[in-house]
């Protein structure tokens, strides 16, 4: 079975500082990995995904994530945080080709202070 | 852009009522999904559909049913609403295939009193 862990319920960072939101996964085969962001009272917006190839994936709004197979991690990063990045972030995994559903982590609230 | 539209953003229903949550997507996606979101629990899959009239149970199907009579429309049905079904419901869609992105609607907040 596939699973995702987001070990931090909340991450606090000052504006202008780099941010990292952590994600680890468990699958029996090769993973497809996704990050989504949710603003208050809104649906989830797609940020980026890892399918294959380069371990560093670049996405929307200046976010990037690094796939690390040995550590089974897919941490979300941004070099310089903005107050507007404050939101709930979800990591998700899909285990195998053709298997359509995503399994989500519990989410990490990112708070960026001015 | 992909658009997934959930017809009702906020609903208040009474215990025992039958509730319909409607979802429409405009990108000819094969797959459609219903998730439930609760604080501290993340998103949990209720049902998904990979084709018209086809459905599969997700992680928490109890108390729910679904209908997909047309490719673009996927309905979630609460046969007899209960207070523990008060939640945020998210509809989503995607093309078939593991690497394809799942796109979400804006969500429906359901309160059962």
């Amino acid at each position: 079975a596939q699973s995702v862990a987001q070990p931090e319920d909340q991450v606090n960072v000052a504006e202008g500082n780099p941010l990292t939101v952590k994600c680890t996964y468990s699958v029996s085969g090769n993973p497809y990995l996704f990050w989504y962001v949710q603003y208050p009272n809104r649906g989830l917006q797609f940020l980026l995904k890892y399918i294959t190839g380069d371990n560093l994936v670049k996405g929307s709004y200046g976010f990037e994530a690094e796939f690390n197979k040995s550590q089974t991690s897919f941490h979300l990063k941004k070099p310089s945080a903005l107050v507007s990045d404050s939101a709930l972030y979800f990591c998700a995994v899909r285990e195998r080709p053709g298997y359509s559903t995503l399994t989500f982590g519990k989410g990490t609230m990112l708070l960026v202070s001015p | 852009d992909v658009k997934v539209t959930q017809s009702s953003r906020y609903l208040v229903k009474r215990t025992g009522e039958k509730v319909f949550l409607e979802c429409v997507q405009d990108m000819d996606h094969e797959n459609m999904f219903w998730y439930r979101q609760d604080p501290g629990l993340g998103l949990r899959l209720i049902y998904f559909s990979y084709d018209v009239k086809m459905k599969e149970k997700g992680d928490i199907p109890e108390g729910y049913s679904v209908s997909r009579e047309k490719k673009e429309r996927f309905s979630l049905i609460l046969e007899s609403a209960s207070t523990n079904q008060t939640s945020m419901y998210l509809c989503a869609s995607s093309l078939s295939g593991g690497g394809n992105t799942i796109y979400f609607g804006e969500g429906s907040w359901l309160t059962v009193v």
Side-chain angles (χ1 to χ4, degrees):
Chain A
Q2 56 192 31
S3 66
V4 173
Q6 293 181 242
E8 301 154 318
D9 291 336
Q10 185 168 308
V11 170
N12 297 299
V13 64
E15 188 172 33
N17 284 356
L19 69 88
T20 298
V21 183
K22 295 180 180 178
C23 171
T24 58
Y25 66 89
S26 175
V27 297
S28 57
N30 292 318
Y32 297 152
L33 294 155
F34 300 76
W35 275 102
Y36 287 83
V37 60
Q38 185 180 36
Y39 298 100
N41 299 319
R42 304 294 299 276
L44 274 67
Q45 295 179 31
F46 169 72
L47 276 179
L48 51 80
K49 65 182 177 182
Y50 171 81
I51 304 300
T52 187
D54 193 347
N55 289 343
L56 185 64
V57 179
K58 294 187 183 298
S60 306
Y61 313 121
F63 284 94
E64 59 188 28
E66 186 167 12
F67 171 63
N68 188 318
K69 189 172 184 178
S70 63
Q71 297 185 7
T72 62
S73 66
F74 189 56
H75 301 330
L76 181 70
K77 300 182 180 183
K78 188 174 182 181
S80 178
L82 299 172
V83 172
S84 57
D85 292 331
S86 298
L88 186 58
Y89 290 80
F90 289 98
C91 182
V93 68
R94 180 185 280 143
E95 182 165 354
R96 48 188 165 86
Y99 190 68
S100 295
T101 65
L102 287 181
T103 296
F104 286 83
K106 290 181 168 47
T108 298
M109 180 63 72
L110 173 66
L111 293 176
V112 182
S113 55
Chain B
D1 283 352
V2 176
K3 192 160 182 65
V4 180
T5 302
Q6 295 182 231
S7 56
S8 302
R9 289 298 315 278
Y10 301 96
L11 306 94
V12 180
K13 298 293 182 180
R14 295 193 179 277
T15 300
E17 276 192 80
K18 191 169 186 176
V19 181
F20 292 87
L21 299 179
E22 307 286 346
C23 175
V24 176
Q25 50 94 5
D26 67 355
M27 286 302 292
D28 203 35
H29 284 171
E30 294 87 4
N31 299 326
M32 295 190 74
F33 310 84
W34 277 105
Y35 284 89
R36 171 176 172 163
Q37 183 180 7
D38 299 288
L41 297 178
L43 276 72
R44 294 178 291 168
L45 181 65
I46 305 171
Y47 269 97
F48 75 98
S49 169
Y50 52 91
D51 201 350
V52 175
K53 297 190 186 295
M54 306 304 290
K55 61 185 179 183
E56 287 200 18
K57 294 179 180 179
D59 301 318
I60 52 165
E62 297 79 16
Y64 304 94
S65 62
V66 290
S67 172
R68 192 166 181 201
E69 297 296 319
K70 294 184 178 182
K71 190 174 185 180
E72 68 271 18
R73 187 179 297 271
F74 192 36
S75 302
L76 180 69
I77 303 156
L78 287 66
E79 295 289 343
S80 178
S82 63
T83 54
N84 63 11
Q85 292 178 310
T86 292
S87 187
M88 165 81 133
Y89 291 88
L90 290 161
C91 176
S93 72
S94 77
L95 292 169
S96 62
N100 287 303
T101 300
I102 291 180
Y103 295 94
F104 284 83
E106 289 293 298
S108 297
W109 282 101
L110 172 65
T111 301
V112 183
V113 298

